[in-house]
Amino acid sequence: MIAYLSGVVREVREGSAVVVAGGVGYEVQCPAGTLAKLAVGQPAELNTRFVVREDAQLLFGFLDTDSVRVFDLLTGVSGVGPKLGLALLSAMPVSALAQGLISGDVKLLSSVSGVGKKTAERLVLELQNKVPEHLAAPATSTGGRAAPVATTAGRDAVDALLALGFREAQVRAAVAELLATDPAQTADALIRRALGRLR
């Protein structure tokens, strides 16, 4: 098993990156959040999972160990392969995904492309009590816990963004992150700032 890869980023593609280590270029499938932080010509250190199938050998990479832990939990569920696990991790931050699993938010999970209602229900059934609770509430810059979308302004912002056609998983994650930095923000401010992240 390849558990860790350290090298230089040669190329960033849609859904993957090429990392050169020891003179060999490895194509690594990564969630959107990891890809956004990789830059061509810059060093990269990735926690990895190596998946061997009959028709392919795939390497999946993550910048943090929390993402690897959730990826392992997701792919341990019957019917959930590594590509679907990666899609879930790409659709929202690890904290939002963990919170969705712990709270049994089937609607949130099934809003991710490729995840049907039955799959979402199976994920909740099998993982609700396995996801470490600390993953669902990351510390903010002030040392507190991330705020959920529980304010009236937050709910109004989510409703407005959903009406514009954005995916629910991405909308809820973006608004929750913004509220974590300033819980007193108005709906208008949340919508403006969230649009900057979603577009």
Side-chain angles (χ1 to χ4, degrees):
M1 156 136 359
I2 302 174
Y4 176 81
L5 182 65
S6 177
V8 176
V9 179
R10 183 185 179 102
E11 187 178 349
V12 177
R13 303 172 178 173
E14 185 175 348
S16 68
V18 176
V19 178
V20 177
V24 178
Y26 296 88
E27 181 174 14
V28 189
Q29 313 288 322
C30 303
T34 292
L35 287 173
K37 295 176 182 177
L38 298 179
V40 174
Q42 296 299 309
E45 297 184 2
L46 299 172
N47 299 283
T48 59
R49 286 293 180 264
F50 186 50
V51 178
V52 179
R53 303 189 318 206
E54 289 185 8
D55 59 341
Q57 296 183 31
L58 303 170
L59 190 61
F60 296 86
F62 312 87
L63 285 174
D64 60 275
T65 54
D66 286 345
S67 293
V68 178
R69 189 165 187 180
V70 173
F71 180 77
D72 287 343
L73 288 171
L74 292 170
T75 54
V77 175
S78 176
V80 179
K83 290 294 180 87
L84 193 54
L86 203 65
L88 282 157
L89 284 164
S90 289
M92 63 191 92
V94 174
S95 58
L97 178 54
Q99 181 60 50
L101 290 167
I102 291 171
S103 65
D105 196 339
V106 171
K107 188 176 180 182
L108 173 69
L109 298 171
S110 60
S111 72
V112 177
S113 179
V115 180
K117 184 179 179 182
K118 287 186 177 180
T119 299
E121 290 172 344
R122 187 162 62 249
L123 284 167
V124 169
L125 179 67
E126 294 194 28
L127 301 181
Q128 192 167 34
N129 297 318
K130 292 182 181 179
V131 177
E133 290 191 9
H134 76 273
L135 294 182
T140 65
S141 58
T142 58
R145 295 293 180 181
V149 183
T151 66
T152 300
R155 288 191 291 270
D156 290 346
V158 167
D159 290 342
L161 292 163
L162 290 176
L164 293 174
F166 292 104
R167 300 190 72 83
E168 183 174 358
Q170 294 171 312
V171 167
R172 286 187 175 278
V175 173
E177 285 185 351
L178 290 170
L179 282 172
T181 61
D182 181 6
Q185 293 181 84
T186 65
D188 286 344
L190 286 167
I191 292 168
R192 280 198 309 275
R193 294 182 65 188
L195 282 172
R197 295 185 176 207
L198 295 168
R199 281 177 173 162

Coordinates of all heavy atoms in Angstrom, one line a residue, residues 42 93 126 134 165 170 176 195:
Q42 N 5.3 23.5 -7.1 CA 5.4 23.6 -5.7 C 5.4 22.2 -5.1 O 4.8 21.2 -5.6 CB 4.2 24.4 -5.1 CG 4.2 25.8 -5.6 CD 5.5 26.6 -5.2 OE1 5.9 26.6 -4.0 NE2 6.1 27.2 -6.1
P93 N -17.0 20.5 2.7 CA -15.8 20.3 3.7 C -16.1 19.1 4.5 O -17.2 18.6 4.7 CB -15.9 21.6 4.6 CG -16.6 22.6 3.8 CD -17.6 21.8 3.0
E126 N -25.0 3.1 8.5 CA -23.7 2.4 8.8 C -22.7 3.3 9.4 O -21.8 2.9 10.2 CB -23.2 1.8 7.5 CG -24.0 0.7 6.9 CD -23.3 -0.1 5.9 OE1 -22.1 -0.2 6.0 OE2 -24.0 -0.7 5.0
H134 N -15.6 15.0 16.7 CA -14.8 16.2 16.6 C -14.6 16.6 15.2 O -14.4 17.7 14.9 CB -13.4 15.9 17.2 CG -12.5 15.1 16.4 ND1 -12.5 13.7 16.5 CD2 -11.6 15.4 15.5 CE1 -11.6 13.2 15.6 NE2 -11.0 14.2 15.0
G165 N -30.1 28.0 -7.9 CA -29.7 26.7 -8.6 C -28.5 26.0 -8.1 O -28.0 25.1 -8.7
Q170 N -23.2 22.2 -1.2 CA -22.2 23.2 -1.3 C -22.7 24.5 -0.7 O -21.9 25.2 0.0 CB -21.9 23.5 -2.8 CG -21.2 22.3 -3.5 CD -21.1 22.5 -5.0 OE1 -22.1 22.8 -5.6 NE2 -19.9 22.2 -5.5
A176 N -22.3 27.8 6.4 CA -21.8 27.4 7.7 C -20.4 27.9 8.0 O -20.1 28.4 9.1 CB -21.9 25.9 7.8
L195 N -21.7 33.6 -2.7 CA -21.6 33.6 -4.2 C -20.2 33.7 -4.7 O -19.8 33.0 -5.7 CB -22.4 34.8 -4.8 CG -23.9 34.7 -4.8 CD1 -24.6 36.0 -5.1 CD2 -24.4 33.6 -5.7

